[in-house]
Amino acid sequence: MTKQLMIYENAVPVSADAHRDVAVRQGVNFGFAADLNSVPLVVAEFEKAAAEYPIVFAGEGADLTPAAVVGLRADENLCVNANGTWDGDYVPAFLRRYPFVFANGAEEGTFTLCIDSAFEGVNENGKGERLFDSEGNRTQYLNTMLQFASDYQSQNAVTRAFTDRLRELDLLEPATATATLPDGTRLSLGGFQRISTERLANLDDAAVLDLFRTGFLAVIHAHIASMAQLPRLLSRAERRAAERKGA
């Protein structure tokens, strides 16, 4: 559905030697996400995200990923305004984590914190939060982002367990979202899956109890409820079309 990982253009390991004078101005301009029509989610976000965005499942097999739909066209994010600000109450953690990301470390099971040096908020002009102090020690900001990235990595594992369980129970079905703008333009978004309420209802009691005890049943219900947000996405598309017409 989207070019999700392409927001990272040049991820390099964070180090005191290379980044002692570097600061990061984060959370101001989301232009880096302007061409994403969906954003990956972890299960811990479903409740908040479901109140604003449709949640779907993109990819196949082990690469299955839940995502918040933020656009009805390829390469268009209806939540990023022309000035780069985010038009929405909830910003997915995938974007709040940027420009940081974990990469596999030299030893198996270890990870290295990296930063996308191509992000326009990375600078040596003191704008934003410094990564290291004058003595080369990590700042509170860097420690906070390190913890955030670590928590996100842990949630990725939980999310993978969730999607694996959906596949094991064969709960997913292909889906397509369609919408028509006031000017007659017809929009269609495909290439994703959703949970089948019919298959869910036909699960045996043991499977339902297991989903409940693992907390996955609540996540499923959040996904199902989120599909009611499609009209909100259409309203965003209508506003975007009106802005283009008036420009």
Side-chain angles (χ1 to χ4, degrees), residues 171 173 195-202 224:
L171 289 178
E173 63 181 4
I195 293 173
S196 167
T197 53
E198 180 180 353
R199 295 181 189 180
L200 180 65
N202 288 329
I224 293 172

Side-chain angles (χ1 to χ4, degrees), residues 13-170:
V14 174
S15 71
D17 290 339
H19 301 100
R20 181 175 297 223
D21 298 321
V22 169
V24 178
R25 192 163 184 255
Q26 190 183 29
V28 177
N29 191 326
F30 290 89
F32 61 87
D35 65 347
L36 299 184
N37 66 359
S38 68
V39 181
L41 294 174
V42 292
V43 293
E45 301 180 89
F46 270 48
E47 183 177 355
K48 289 184 177 179
E52 197 164 359
Y53 315 107
I55 299 173
V56 301
F57 298 87
E60 298 287 343
D63 293 326
L64 187 69
T65 303
V69 181
V70 292
L72 293 172
R73 290 186 176 94
D75 302 329
E76 180 181 61
N77 187 335
L78 294 170
C79 294
V80 176
N81 295 320
N83 62 2
T85 57
W86 186 266
D87 181 17
D89 294 326
Y90 183 74
V91 180
F94 181 83
L95 302 182
R96 286 183 281 123
R97 178 186 60 165
Y98 186 77
F100 299 96
V101 66
F102 269 133
N104 291 327
E107 298 180 12
E108 185 177 354
T110 64
F111 299 93
T112 299
L113 185 67
C114 295
I115 187 170
D116 186 357
S117 62
F119 175 48
E120 67 172 22
V122 175
N123 67 90
E124 294 186 3
N125 302 319
K127 296 180 179 179
E129 301 287 344
R130 288 178 61 95
L131 301 184
F132 297 92
D133 61 24
S134 58
E135 297 180 352
N137 299 311
R138 291 189 307 215
T139 61
Q140 182 59 49
Y141 168 73
L142 181 55
N143 283 329
T144 297
M145 293 311 301
L146 179 62
Q147 185 62 54
F148 188 92
S150 178
D151 292 343
Y152 189 88
Q153 195 73 19
S154 298
Q155 278 298 317
N156 261 333
V158 177
T159 304
R160 174 59 60 84
F162 172 64
T163 55
D164 285 348
R165 189 62 176 142
L166 295 181
R167 291 191 295 115
E168 289 170 3
L169 295 173
D170 193 27

Side-chain angles (χ1 to χ4, degrees), residues 1-16:
M1 285 178 58
T2 107
K3 301 181 291 184
Q4 292 162 349
L5 296 181
M6 288 186 67
I7 63 173
Y8 291 94
E9 297 181 24
N10 186 39
V12 297
V14 174
S15 71

